Amino acid sequence: MKALIIGAGIGGMSAAAALKQQGIECDIFEAVKEIKPVGAALSIWSNGVKCMNHLGMGSIMDELGGPMHNMAYHDGFTGTVMTQFSLAPLVDAVGERPCPVSRADLQSQMIDWWGRDKIQFGKRIEKVEQSETGVMAYFTDGTSAIGDFMIAADGTHSAVRTHVLGYQTERRYADYVNWNGLVEIDENIAPADQWTTFVGDGKRVSIMPIADGRFYFFFDVPLPKGLEQDRSTVIADLTGYFAGWAEPVQKLIAAINPETTNRIEIHDIEPFDTLVKGNIALLGDAAHSTTPDIGQGGCSALEDSVVLGQCFADQFKGKGKTVSGVLAALKQYEEERRFRVKDLVLKARKRCDVTHGKDMQETQAWYDELRHETGENIIAGLRTTIIGGPLA
Ligand code: FAD
């Protein structure tokens, strides 16, 4: 029994780990020769951390997870605290801490955990064929591979998705641009154990600690799509967008390295119900592409993988590894995941609109709420999202 895994991102690597737990051989094919992650870091929330533990990769989280113990919102202009609270009640309620991690380190460690030399890099899938008994992947270098089934974890621009859905999806621009990167921790910018966010005018500046004395930062600015991108103007652009903002924001802008700062126009894809076609399943961003506004894109890829493994365990139990078991496992995976992932994409979209001033009155109401927030409501929201996962 062999699976072809397309993509060596968080989705592909975690799917391989989950299938390995079920005794299924996996061949992993990755388009690029060298992985250069989009984005500097990720917050892997407790649901994602639980998945990493379940998949046997918990030590990666232990090593990479930053000490994010508190959370605070500040008025972007005055710098005054709107709300500040401990995340301990959340950790107590869900039984696991959240881990902000360097994305490059996470991906690299997941690859090393599997064995870098066992992944086939430079293999970009361009066509897929399937029959009742197997799948065939065709790569742009003229080579091909055969397997019993395929997990397509080839990201938001998935080449396999159109085959599975029977139509081409459109990416939807979320009306804001995100700049992100890493800087050395500086407590003049924010406390070293806190996720700190400055808000105002539908913009935000966020800072969270990852391992090795670094802050992950991001700036969000509502902007039209397609503006010119130029590394040499990053500092000037951010200085302009955040003119008049509080001192810590100015310090952060002064500290960033434009060469390692990413600029991303944020998109999502309208959720769809079909995640599986026979013996081919979509997983991760290929299956559900979300804005990062609730930090659940990578976490839900990890959840997909855990559920995938559980479905194979259910379907192979007492029957062995059969073709019909594969089809049943993938169908079960689709059933168990489609509502959850749709919910997360739509929840993130809603949060995105409120955060980024789609209707400034609503955004202002949110700012007003933050000034009265004790942490209870935010923790309740985070808790609901986390316990909706497969390992609640
Ligand atoms: P990817 O990481 O995109 O991996 C897909 C892989 O497939 C890539 O390596 C790619 O090279 C390869 N590939 C592509 N096409 C082909 C092909 N044709 N053939 C073979 N291989 C191919 N998520 C969180 O959980 N928490 C966060 O805090 C968070 N913050 C984010 C911030 C930003 C700014 C962004 C943009 C996203 C954020 N996310 C976050 C979302 C998260 O990054 C994604 O959901 C996650 O990386 C998806 O993993 P994936 O493996 O499905 O896709």
Side-chain angles (χ1 to χ4, degrees), residues 63-112:
E63 188 184 331
L64 300 183
M68 188 170 80
H69 303 309
N70 301 305
M71 187 168 171
Y73 280 91
H74 292 244
D75 181 304
F77 293 97
T78 63
T80 51
V81 177
M82 300 162 96
T83 180
Q84 199 267 349
F85 52 91
S86 165
L87 286 170
L90 175 71
V91 178
D92 290 346
V94 301
E96 186 52 83
R97 74 178 179 117
C99 286
V101 297
S102 149
R103 185 191 281 260
D105 292 348
L106 174 65
Q107 206 152 345
S108 179
Q109 291 219 15
M110 288 177 86
I111 285 172
D112 287 342

Side-chain angles (χ1 to χ4, degrees), residues 6-12 29-32 35 38 41-44 103 107 123-125 153-156 159 178 180 216 264 266 283-286 292 295-299 301:
I6 309 299
I10 297 168
F29 301 92
E30 166 54 51
V32 300
I35 292 205
V38 181
L42 295 167
S43 50
I44 300 296
R103 185 191 281 260
Q107 206 152 345
K123 296 284 178 188
R124 181 175 294 278
I125 195 169
D154 52 343
T156 187
N178 167 285
N180 65 70
Y216 166 45
I264 302 170
I266 298 298
L283 184 143
D285 278 10
Q296 282 290 336
C299 296

Side-chain angles (χ1 to χ4, degrees), residues 255-274:
I256 70 175
N257 176 357
E259 289 308 313
T260 53
T261 299
N262 309 293
R263 180 190 187 277
I264 302 170
E265 292 179 335
I266 298 298
H267 291 77
D268 66 10
I269 294 177
E270 191 61 33
F272 41 83
D273 286 326
T274 306

Side-chain angles (χ1 to χ4, degrees), residues 16-34:
L19 294 176
K20 187 181 175 193
Q21 285 181 332
Q22 303 309 320
I24 297 167
E25 193 188 327
C26 297
D27 284 352
I28 306 176
F29 301 92
E30 166 54 51
V32 300
K33 294 211 164 87
E34 195 192 335

Side-chain angles (χ1 to χ4, degrees), residues 40 49 63 66 70 75 135 143 164 190 201 213 217 245 292 317-318 384:
V49 177
E63 188 184 331
N70 301 305
D75 181 304
V135 288
T143 60
V164 170
D201 281 353
F217 68 82
W245 280 50
K317 198 171 173 187
T384 304

Side-chain angles (χ1 to χ4, degrees), residues 27 65 67 200-201 209 221 245 275 307 310 334 390:
D27 284 352
D201 281 353
V221 182
W245 280 50
L275 307 182
V307 171
Q310 289 170 340
E334 179 179 64

